[in-house]
Every structure is written in structure tokens, then in C-alpha cells.
Amino acid sequence: MNAGAGWLASFASGTIIWLIATLLSGGREPWDTGDYWLIYLPAAYVLCGILGYTFPRRTWRWPMMVMLAQLPVMVIVTGSGLGLLPLGIIFLLILSVPGMAAAALGGTLYRRAQGEASS
């Protein structure tokens, strides 16, 4: 699959996760709730693994887009100002690191599956 589809899939799916998290948290920033850390962030990491499996080249890209998709959702839904935007970007990039591991694992599983299928 091509990279454009990977970017679109990671942004769209990330947006959906964070939109659901924001709406179910009562319109607050999701990371201010316990559910973010127990439900939505782990779900995002599983999504990163799936994206890594589906788009196995340069898998580090997909978790960054999944996490950064939170920013437009929070700005639009919660009306958050842009004053803390640089700090938010740094925070989300740090949160994307475990997702990078999950995506790399997904990519590895894909390559192994392809290697076994061609043997």
C-alpha cells in the first residue's frame, strides 16, 4: 500500500479515537481524564500496531500522526486556545514513542508473515 493511504488512515483513525475520547469525557481534554490513560491511549497503541502491519514501511510515521490528530480535535471540540500548542506537540510526540514500538512490531509481524507465505 502507498504512503498516502497510510497518512490518511492514521490521521482519520486517530481523529476518530480522539473525537470519541473527547466527546465521552464531556468535552474536556481527554488526557485530563483517567479513561484516556486506561482506554484511549492503549487503544491508540493497538491502532498503531495495526497500522504498522498494514503499512509496514517506515512505521514510525503512523503513531506520530495518530497522536497529533488529537490537536485539531481538542481545538475544535473543546475550544482550547493555542497558547500551549508547542507544549502539546512535544507531549504528543513523546506519547507517540510507545506507538512507534507497536507499529514496528506490526511491521515485523507483517514481514514475517510474508516471509513464511513465500517459503
Side-chain angles (χ1 to χ4, degrees), residues 7 19 35-36 40 50 99 116:
W7 287 112
L19 183 60
D35 286 348
Y36 178 86
Y40 302 109
I50 293 168
E116 291 174 10

Side-chain angles (χ1 to χ4, degrees), residues 1-13 51 55 61-62 65-66:
M1 295 213 174
N2 69 30
W7 287 112
L8 180 62
S10 59
F11 180 75
S13 54
L51 288 165
F55 304 98
R61 302 177 286 182
W62 317 135
M65 183 54 70
V66 167

Side-chain angles (χ1 to χ4, degrees), residues 4-90:
W7 287 112
L8 180 62
S10 59
F11 180 75
S13 54
T15 300
I16 290 168
I17 285 176
W18 305 127
L19 183 60
I20 291 168
T22 302
L23 294 175
L24 292 180
S25 70
R28 297 186 343 214
E29 292 179 353
W31 58 42
D32 289 339
T33 69
D35 286 348
Y36 178 86
W37 303 100
L38 296 173
I39 299 169
Y40 302 109
L41 192 58
Y45 292 149
V46 170
L47 170 64
C48 292
I50 293 168
L51 288 165
Y53 187 88
T54 307
F55 304 98
R57 297 197 57 185
R58 293 181 272 188
T59 58
W60 56 269
R61 302 177 286 182
W62 317 135
M64 289 190 337
M65 183 54 70
V66 167
M67 292 302 159
L68 291 175
Q70 291 180 72
L71 291 175
V73 170
M74 285 190 299
V75 168
I76 293 168
V77 176
T78 67
S80 298
L82 299 178
L84 294 175
L85 183 64
L87 183 61
I89 290 171
I90 292 168

